Amino acid sequence: MKYIAPKTVLCIHDLSGAGRCSMAAAAPVLAAMGHQPILLPTALFSTHTGGLGQPAAQMCGGYGPAALQHYRELGLQIDCIYSGYLAGTGDQELVRRAFEFWPEALKIVDPVLGDGGRFYTGMEDKLPGVRELCRGADMILPNLTEACLLLGLPQPQQELDQAGAGALAEELAGLCGQTVVTGLPQGRHLACAGGGKERFVVQRLRIDRSYPGTGDLFASVLVGALLRGNAVSAAADAAAGFVAEAIENTDPAANPALGVWFEPLLGRLAGRGV
């Protein structure tokens, strides 16, 4: 059997001990897909902040820059830099420094700012810095709310058709050359749309259940598929399909704040061609 070296992914995210989101989703997904995640937490939380009470929190402060310097001194090859929730301007600078240390890496930014038409608490003043990170990235993965915030547009008052979804993704391409916008409502479906080098819209039947962390799950599968050499549209299709499977696999009676039961499905990612 021919040996294929895993791609190394520097994951700059927060880590929640309970609740399937951020780094707790990225690490197992990327590992199952044959890659090596290098975990660089920006903050530690006992739980995520979506419905599990007030979490215990610890900002990682000077750990991140010291860790980056150590990895650089080791001469580690970083194939991809994948960032998510950044709690402060120091975390944004951490991502910028990683971009400078490994300029040849694929740079993917999930610009975590808000959802449901509004900012997450405390993220309003982070918008300019996140926008600048997006300009330095190769690809960004905003949801619909974040796409409008990045562009300075009002939140849409009606559902987007395929043309509208494509136009929004294409407008974002002026900020970053390749974009994938998620969470686009289209009647009985949810869609993601790509703009820039590859234009597409991927639809999935809407499941009438909502869970935190599904955006992180989508982004992580998409990153893993891209690093396997898939086109952006194929990677987005695989990611949307896996999220839908994970929702279907989750007991409707379970506490939704704990996220979707994706762990039993990880073997499917390992065995897929995406």
Side-chain angles (χ1 to χ4, degrees):
M1 180 186 300
K2 182 180 179 181
Y3 173 73
I4 301 175
K7 300 294 185 182
T8 302
V9 187
L10 180 63
C11 300
I12 306 178
H13 296 253
D14 67 289
L15 175 59
S16 295
R20 299 167 173 89
C21 66
S22 57
M23 195 173 283
V29 164
L30 290 168
M33 297 183 78
H35 306 301
Q36 181 189 4
I38 294 180
L39 309 181
L40 186 55
T42 57
L44 306 177
F45 298 101
S46 55
T47 69
H48 62 72
T49 57
L52 292 170
Q54 183 63 38
Q58 177 66 58
M59 301 300 108
C60 291
Y63 168 79
L68 280 189
Q69 186 61 38
H70 186 200
Y71 297 148
R72 193 185 195 193
E73 291 169 357
L74 288 172
L76 291 184
Q77 175 181 323
I78 303 295
D79 300 297
C80 175
I81 300 166
Y82 164 35
S83 71
Y85 173 72
L86 304 173
T89 55
D91 296 335
Q92 295 173 2
E93 178 57 32
L94 185 67
V95 178
R96 280 190 287 270
R97 187 174 301 185
F99 286 179
E100 293 171 1
F101 282 2
W102 293 280
E104 300 304 314
L106 178 65
K107 304 169 188 67
I108 299 180
V109 170
D110 184 356
V112 179
L113 289 165
D115 202 2
R118 62 183 185 275
F119 280 103
Y120 294 133
T121 301
M123 294 307 292
E124 292 91 337
D125 61 341
K126 311 301 190 303
L127 176 59
V130 171
R131 190 180 281 132
E132 283 304 307
L133 280 182
C134 290
R135 290 193 175 102
D138 297 307
M139 177 180 291
I140 60 174
L141 308 174
N143 60 33
L144 175 59
T145 295
E146 292 157 349
C148 293
L149 293 173
L150 288 168
L151 292 171
L153 297 176
Q155 299 295 320
Q157 299 302 306
Q158 58 187 18
E159 295 183 350
L160 298 176
D161 58 16
Q162 289 206 20
L168 180 64
E170 198 58 37
E171 189 166 353
L172 275 169
L175 182 67
C176 176
Q178 184 69 63
T179 67
V180 179
V181 186
T182 62
L184 301 171
Q186 295 187 345
R188 296 177 58 246
H189 297 82
L190 282 176
C192 59
K197 300 173 186 175
E198 187 180 352
R199 303 180 187 182
F200 61 86
V201 175
V202 172
Q203 284 189 332
R204 281 291 185 280
L205 188 67
R206 193 191 312 221
I207 302 171
D208 193 25
R209 287 188 266 160
S210 179
Y211 296 91
T214 51
D216 300 319
L217 193 60
F218 175 94
S220 299
V221 176
L222 184 143
V223 170
L226 287 176
L227 293 175
R228 284 178 168 178
N230 287 274
V232 180
S233 56
D237 185 64
F242 187 77
V243 170
E245 287 183 72
I247 294 173
E248 292 283 12
N249 186 63
T250 304
D251 184 348
N255 181 358
L258 292 175
V260 293
W261 296 357
F262 70 88
E263 296 91 344
L265 305 177
L266 288 172
R268 303 188 189 187
L269 291 176
R272 286 178 171 173
V274 295

mmCIF file of all heavy atoms in Angstrom, residues 74-105:
data_model
loop_
_atom_site.group_PDB
_atom_site.id
_atom_site.type_symbol
_atom_site.label_atom_id
_atom_site.label_comp_id
_atom_site.label_asym_id
_atom_site.label_seq_id
_atom_site.Cartn_x
_atom_site.Cartn_y
_atom_site.Cartn_z
ATOM 1 N N LEU A 74 10.871 24.085 15.857
ATOM 2 C CA LEU A 74 10.915 22.657 15.530
ATOM 3 C C LEU A 74 10.967 22.413 14.019
ATOM 4 O O LEU A 74 11.255 21.295 13.586
ATOM 5 C CB LEU A 74 9.684 21.950 16.110
ATOM 6 C CG LEU A 74 9.637 21.774 17.621
ATOM 7 C CD1 LEU A 74 8.279 21.231 18.043
ATOM 8 C CD2 LEU A 74 10.753 20.848 18.089
ATOM 9 N N GLY A 75 10.663 23.445 13.248
ATOM 10 C CA GLY A 75 10.642 23.284 11.801
ATOM 11 C C GLY A 75 9.442 22.509 11.300
ATOM 12 O O GLY A 75 9.501 21.868 10.241
ATOM 13 N N LEU A 76 8.335 22.565 12.046
ATOM 14 C CA LEU A 76 7.147 21.827 11.640
ATOM 15 C C LEU A 76 6.605 22.379 10.325
ATOM 16 O O LEU A 76 6.529 23.591 10.125
ATOM 17 C CB LEU A 76 6.056 21.928 12.707
ATOM 18 C CG LEU A 76 6.307 21.219 14.031
ATOM 19 C CD1 LEU A 76 5.079 21.357 14.926
ATOM 20 C CD2 LEU A 76 6.631 19.742 13.815
ATOM 21 N N GLN A 77 6.224 21.468 9.450
ATOM 22 C CA GLN A 77 5.535 21.877 8.227
ATOM 23 C C GLN A 77 4.055 21.997 8.530
ATOM 24 O O GLN A 77 3.423 21.049 8.986
ATOM 25 C CB GLN A 77 5.746 20.856 7.114
ATOM 26 C CG GLN A 77 4.956 21.182 5.852
ATOM 27 C CD GLN A 77 5.143 20.145 4.764
ATOM 28 O OE1 GLN A 77 6.228 19.603 4.585
ATOM 29 N NE2 GLN A 77 4.065 19.850 4.037
ATOM 30 N N ILE A 78 3.490 23.157 8.289
ATOM 31 C CA ILE A 78 2.060 23.392 8.472
ATOM 32 C C ILE A 78 1.432 23.519 7.096
ATOM 33 O O ILE A 78 1.782 24.414 6.328
ATOM 34 C CB ILE A 78 1.800 24.669 9.301
ATOM 35 C CG1 ILE A 78 2.505 24.593 10.669
ATOM 36 C CG2 ILE A 78 0.306 24.906 9.468
ATOM 37 C CD1 ILE A 78 1.998 23.512 11.581
ATOM 38 N N ASP A 79 0.524 22.616 6.776
ATOM 39 C CA ASP A 79 -0.120 22.619 5.461
ATOM 40 C C ASP A 79 -1.352 23.514 5.418
ATOM 41 O O ASP A 79 -1.732 23.999 4.350
ATOM 42 C CB ASP A 79 -0.514 21.191 5.065
ATOM 43 C CG ASP A 79 0.689 20.271 4.982
ATOM 44 O OD1 ASP A 79 1.556 20.520 4.136
ATOM 45 O OD2 ASP A 79 0.758 19.319 5.781
ATOM 46 N N CYS A 80 -1.988 23.698 6.580
ATOM 47 C CA CYS A 80 -3.218 24.487 6.636
ATOM 48 C C CYS A 80 -3.312 25.164 7.992
ATOM 49 O O CYS A 80 -2.985 24.557 9.023
ATOM 50 C CB CYS A 80 -4.427 23.574 6.413
ATOM 51 S SG CYS A 80 -6.042 24.378 6.583
ATOM 52 N N ILE A 81 -3.733 26.415 7.992
ATOM 53 C CA ILE A 81 -4.047 27.152 9.224
ATOM 54 C C ILE A 81 -5.550 27.404 9.211
ATOM 55 O O ILE A 81 -6.076 28.017 8.283
ATOM 56 C CB ILE A 81 -3.279 28.478 9.292
ATOM 57 C CG1 ILE A 81 -1.766 28.223 9.270
ATOM 58 C CG2 ILE A 81 -3.672 29.264 10.548
ATOM 59 C CD1 ILE A 81 -0.943 29.462 8.988
ATOM 60 N N TYR A 82 -6.227 26.894 10.233
ATOM 61 C CA TYR A 82 -7.697 26.913 10.269
ATOM 62 C C TYR A 82 -8.116 27.566 11.578
ATOM 63 O O TYR A 82 -7.910 27.006 12.659
ATOM 64 C CB TYR A 82 -8.195 25.473 10.142
ATOM 65 C CG TYR A 82 -9.629 25.192 10.510
ATOM 66 C CD1 TYR A 82 -10.660 26.102 10.268
ATOM 67 C CD2 TYR A 82 -9.980 23.963 11.080
ATOM 68 C CE1 TYR A 82 -11.967 25.811 10.604
ATOM 69 C CE2 TYR A 82 -11.284 23.655 11.402
ATOM 70 C CZ TYR A 82 -12.270 24.581 11.174
ATOM 71 O OH TYR A 82 -13.576 24.276 11.504
ATOM 72 N N SER A 83 -8.678 28.773 11.501
ATOM 73 C CA SER A 83 -9.054 29.506 12.706
ATOM 74 C C SER A 83 -10.565 29.580 12.852
ATOM 75 O O SER A 83 -11.308 29.577 11.874
ATOM 76 C CB SER A 83 -8.465 30.924 12.683
ATOM 77 O OG SER A 83 -9.121 31.735 11.727
ATOM 78 N N GLY A 84 -10.997 29.661 14.120
ATOM 79 C CA GLY A 84 -12.415 29.773 14.433
ATOM 80 C C GLY A 84 -12.661 30.932 15.387
ATOM 81 O O GLY A 84 -12.203 32.052 15.143
ATOM 82 N N TYR A 85 -13.364 30.671 16.485
ATOM 83 C CA TYR A 85 -13.708 31.725 17.443
ATOM 84 C C TYR A 85 -12.452 32.321 18.043
ATOM 85 O O TYR A 85 -11.575 31.610 18.547
ATOM 86 C CB TYR A 85 -14.586 31.146 18.552
ATOM 87 C CG TYR A 85 -14.861 32.097 19.689
ATOM 88 C CD1 TYR A 85 -15.716 33.179 19.516
ATOM 89 C CD2 TYR A 85 -14.256 31.920 20.932
ATOM 90 C CE1 TYR A 85 -15.964 34.061 20.563
ATOM 91 C CE2 TYR A 85 -14.506 32.787 21.981
ATOM 92 C CZ TYR A 85 -15.360 33.853 21.783
ATOM 93 O OH TYR A 85 -15.593 34.729 22.822
ATOM 94 N N LEU A 86 -12.351 33.658 17.989
ATOM 95 C CA LEU A 86 -11.214 34.382 18.531
ATOM 96 C C LEU A 86 -11.749 35.376 19.557
ATOM 97 O O LEU A 86 -12.454 36.323 19.208
ATOM 98 C CB LEU A 86 -10.462 35.106 17.413
ATOM 99 C CG LEU A 86 -9.979 34.199 16.267
ATOM 100 C CD1 LEU A 86 -9.407 35.030 15.125
ATOM 101 C CD2 LEU A 86 -8.966 33.179 16.767
ATOM 102 N N ALA A 87 -11.406 35.145 20.827
ATOM 103 C CA ALA A 87 -12.033 35.896 21.913
ATOM 104 C C ALA A 87 -11.567 37.341 22.002
ATOM 105 O O ALA A 87 -12.269 38.180 22.556
ATOM 106 C CB ALA A 87 -11.777 35.190 23.247
ATOM 107 N N GLY A 88 -10.397 37.659 21.464
ATOM 108 C CA GLY A 88 -9.903 39.017 21.604
ATOM 109 C C GLY A 88 -8.941 39.396 20.504
ATOM 110 O O GLY A 88 -8.600 38.591 19.638
ATOM 111 N N THR A 89 -8.476 40.641 20.547
ATOM 112 C CA THR A 89 -7.553 41.118 19.516
ATOM 113 C C THR A 89 -6.228 40.382 19.577
ATOM 114 O O THR A 89 -5.549 40.224 18.556
ATOM 115 C CB THR A 89 -7.320 42.629 19.665
ATOM 116 O OG1 THR A 89 -6.876 42.910 21.006
ATOM 117 C CG2 THR A 89 -8.612 43.407 19.408
ATOM 118 N N GLY A 90 -5.834 39.920 20.767
ATOM 119 C CA GLY A 90 -4.615 39.132 20.874
ATOM 120 C C GLY A 90 -4.715 37.831 20.089
ATOM 121 O O GLY A 90 -3.728 37.380 19.494
ATOM 122 N N ASP A 91 -5.892 37.223 20.087
ATOM 123 C CA ASP A 91 -6.096 35.993 19.317
ATOM 124 C C ASP A 91 -6.050 36.272 17.820
ATOM 125 O O ASP A 91 -5.549 35.454 17.032
ATOM 126 C CB ASP A 91 -7.438 35.351 19.686
ATOM 127 C CG ASP A 91 -7.489 34.903 21.132
ATOM 128 O OD1 ASP A 91 -6.412 34.651 21.708
ATOM 129 O OD2 ASP A 91 -8.599 34.818 21.689
ATOM 130 N N GLN A 92 -6.575 37.417 17.402
ATOM 131 C CA GLN A 92 -6.484 37.792 15.995
ATOM 132 C C GLN A 92 -5.022 37.962 15.579
ATOM 133 O O GLN A 92 -4.615 37.531 14.505
ATOM 134 C CB GLN A 92 -7.276 39.076 15.752
ATOM 135 C CG GLN A 92 -8.769 38.932 15.968
ATOM 136 C CD GLN A 92 -9.502 40.255 15.880
ATOM 137 O OE1 GLN A 92 -8.895 41.304 15.614
ATOM 138 N NE2 GLN A 92 -10.810 40.229 16.101
ATOM 139 N N GLU A 93 -4.242 38.587 16.454
ATOM 140 C CA GLU A 93 -2.811 38.764 16.160
ATOM 141 C C GLU A 93 -2.113 37.405 16.096
ATOM 142 O O GLU A 93 -1.178 37.218 15.298
ATOM 143 C CB GLU A 93 -2.171 39.640 17.239
ATOM 144 C CG GLU A 93 -0.687 39.853 17.064
ATOM 145 C CD GLU A 93 -0.325 40.465 15.728
ATOM 146 O OE1 GLU A 93 -1.114 41.267 15.179
ATOM 147 O OE2 GLU A 93 0.761 40.126 15.214
ATOM 148 N N LEU A 94 -2.561 36.453 16.900
ATOM 149 C CA LEU A 94 -1.994 35.105 16.873
ATOM 150 C C LEU A 94 -2.184 34.467 15.499
ATOM 151 O O LEU A 94 -1.258 33.855 14.948
ATOM 152 C CB LEU A 94 -2.670 34.255 17.951
ATOM 153 C CG LEU A 94 -2.128 32.840 18.170
ATOM 154 C CD1 LEU A 94 -0.719 32.905 18.744
ATOM 155 C CD2 LEU A 94 -3.055 32.068 19.111
ATOM 156 N N VAL A 95 -3.370 34.627 14.926
ATOM 157 C CA VAL A 95 -3.625 34.076 13.604
ATOM 158 C C VAL A 95 -2.776 34.779 12.551
ATOM 159 O O VAL A 95 -2.186 34.148 11.669
ATOM 160 C CB VAL A 95 -5.126 34.175 13.243
ATOM 161 C CG1 VAL A 95 -5.383 33.651 11.838
ATOM 162 C CG2 VAL A 95 -5.964 33.392 14.246
ATOM 163 N N ARG A 96 -2.683 36.094 12.650
ATOM 164 C CA ARG A 96 -1.845 36.839 11.701
ATOM 165 C C ARG A 96 -0.390 36.369 11.771
ATOM 166 O O ARG A 96 0.287 36.228 10.743
ATOM 167 C CB ARG A 96 -1.934 38.346 11.986
ATOM 168 C CG ARG A 96 -3.183 39.003 11.428
ATOM 169 C CD ARG A 96 -3.093 40.511 11.520
ATOM 170 N NE ARG A 96 -3.256 40.981 12.885
ATOM 171 C CZ ARG A 96 -4.418 41.296 13.423
ATOM 172 N NH1 ARG A 96 -5.538 41.196 12.717
ATOM 173 N NH2 ARG A 96 -4.498 41.722 14.674
ATOM 174 N N ARG A 97 0.089 36.128 12.984
ATOM 175 C CA ARG A 97 1.472 35.666 13.136
ATOM 176 C C ARG A 97 1.651 34.282 12.516
ATOM 177 O O ARG A 97 2.672 34.012 11.869
ATOM 178 C CB ARG A 97 1.857 35.642 14.617
ATOM 179 C CG ARG A 97 3.329 35.330 14.857
ATOM 180 C CD ARG A 97 3.695 35.455 16.314
ATOM 181 N NE ARG A 97 3.439 36.787 16.834
ATOM 182 C CZ ARG A 97 3.761 37.176 18.068
ATOM 183 N NH1 ARG A 97 4.349 36.330 18.907
ATOM 184 N NH2 ARG A 97 3.485 38.396 18.468
ATOM 185 N N ALA A 98 0.671 33.421 12.694
ATOM 186 C CA ALA A 98 0.739 32.095 12.064
ATOM 187 C C ALA A 98 0.781 32.224 10.549
ATOM 188 O O ALA A 98 1.527 31.502 9.865
ATOM 189 C CB ALA A 98 -0.454 31.248 12.503
ATOM 190 N N PHE A 99 -0.017 33.136 10.001
ATOM 191 C CA PHE A 99 0.014 33.375 8.555
ATOM 192 C C PHE A 99 1.414 33.797 8.104
ATOM 193 O O PHE A 99 1.886 33.389 7.039
ATOM 194 C CB PHE A 99 -0.988 34.469 8.172
ATOM 195 C CG PHE A 99 -2.442 34.053 8.209
ATOM 196 C CD1 PHE A 99 -3.435 34.979 7.904
ATOM 197 C CD2 PHE A 99 -2.822 32.766 8.527
ATOM 198 C CE1 PHE A 99 -4.768 34.625 7.918
ATOM 199 C CE2 PHE A 99 -4.156 32.402 8.561
ATOM 200 C CZ PHE A 99 -5.137 33.326 8.252
ATOM 201 N N GLU A 100 2.088 34.620 8.906
ATOM 202 C CA GLU A 100 3.426 35.091 8.558
ATOM 203 C C GLU A 100 4.460 33.976 8.690
ATOM 204 O O GLU A 100 5.381 33.874 7.867
ATOM 205 C CB GLU A 100 3.810 36.268 9.461
ATOM 206 C CG GLU A 100 2.982 37.519 9.226
ATOM 207 C CD GLU A 100 3.250 38.580 10.277
ATOM 208 O OE1 GLU A 100 4.098 38.348 11.168
ATOM 209 O OE2 GLU A 100 2.604 39.651 10.214
ATOM 210 N N PHE A 101 4.336 33.142 9.708
ATOM 211 C CA PHE A 101 5.301 32.064 9.925
ATOM 212 C C PHE A 101 5.231 31.001 8.829
ATOM 213 O O PHE A 101 6.247 30.425 8.457
ATOM 214 C CB PHE A 101 5.058 31.417 11.290
ATOM 215 C CG PHE A 101 5.588 32.192 12.466
ATOM 216 C CD1 PHE A 101 6.204 33.428 12.300
ATOM 217 C CD2 PHE A 101 5.462 31.687 13.751
ATOM 218 C CE1 PHE A 101 6.685 34.143 13.393
ATOM 219 C CE2 PHE A 101 5.946 32.389 14.849
ATOM 220 C CZ PHE A 101 6.561 33.617 14.665
ATOM 221 N N TRP A 102 4.003 30.723 8.349
ATOM 222 C CA TRP A 102 3.824 29.665 7.341
ATOM 223 C C TRP A 102 3.055 30.238 6.149
ATOM 224 O O TRP A 102 1.870 29.919 5.936
ATOM 225 C CB TRP A 102 3.097 28.476 7.941
ATOM 226 C CG TRP A 102 3.917 27.779 8.981
ATOM 227 C CD1 TRP A 102 4.921 26.879 8.770
ATOM 228 C CD2 TRP A 102 3.805 27.930 10.414
ATOM 229 N NE1 TRP A 102 5.456 26.461 9.970
ATOM 230 C CE2 TRP A 102 4.797 27.094 10.997
ATOM 231 C CE3 TRP A 102 2.987 28.690 11.244
ATOM 232 C CZ2 TRP A 102 4.970 26.996 12.371
ATOM 233 C CZ3 TRP A 102 3.163 28.602 12.608
ATOM 234 C CH2 TRP A 102 4.145 27.765 13.165
ATOM 235 N N PRO A 103 3.707 31.081 5.355
ATOM 236 C CA PRO A 103 3.004 31.770 4.267
ATOM 237 C C PRO A 103 2.481 30.846 3.172
ATOM 238 O O PRO A 103 1.563 31.223 2.443
ATOM 239 C CB PRO A 103 4.076 32.732 3.720
ATOM 240 C CG PRO A 103 5.379 32.134 4.123
ATOM 241 C CD PRO A 103 5.128 31.467 5.440
ATOM 242 N N GLU A 104 3.043 29.649 3.040
ATOM 243 C CA GLU A 104 2.603 28.729 1.990
ATOM 244 C C GLU A 104 1.415 27.866 2.423
ATOM 245 O O GLU A 104 0.857 27.129 1.612
ATOM 246 C CB GLU A 104 3.763 27.817 1.566
ATOM 247 C CG GLU A 104 4.972 28.574 1.030
ATOM 248 C CD GLU A 104 4.611 29.476 -0.130
ATOM 249 O OE1 GLU A 104 3.884 29.015 -1.040
ATOM 250 O OE2 GLU A 104 5.052 30.647 -0.130
ATOM 251 N N ALA A 105 1.049 27.919 3.696
ATOM 252 C CA ALA A 105 -0.073 27.114 4.186
ATOM 253 C C ALA A 105 -1.392 27.613 3.607
ATOM 254 O O ALA A 105 -1.546 28.798 3.299
ATOM 255 C CB ALA A 105 -0.130 27.161 5.715
#
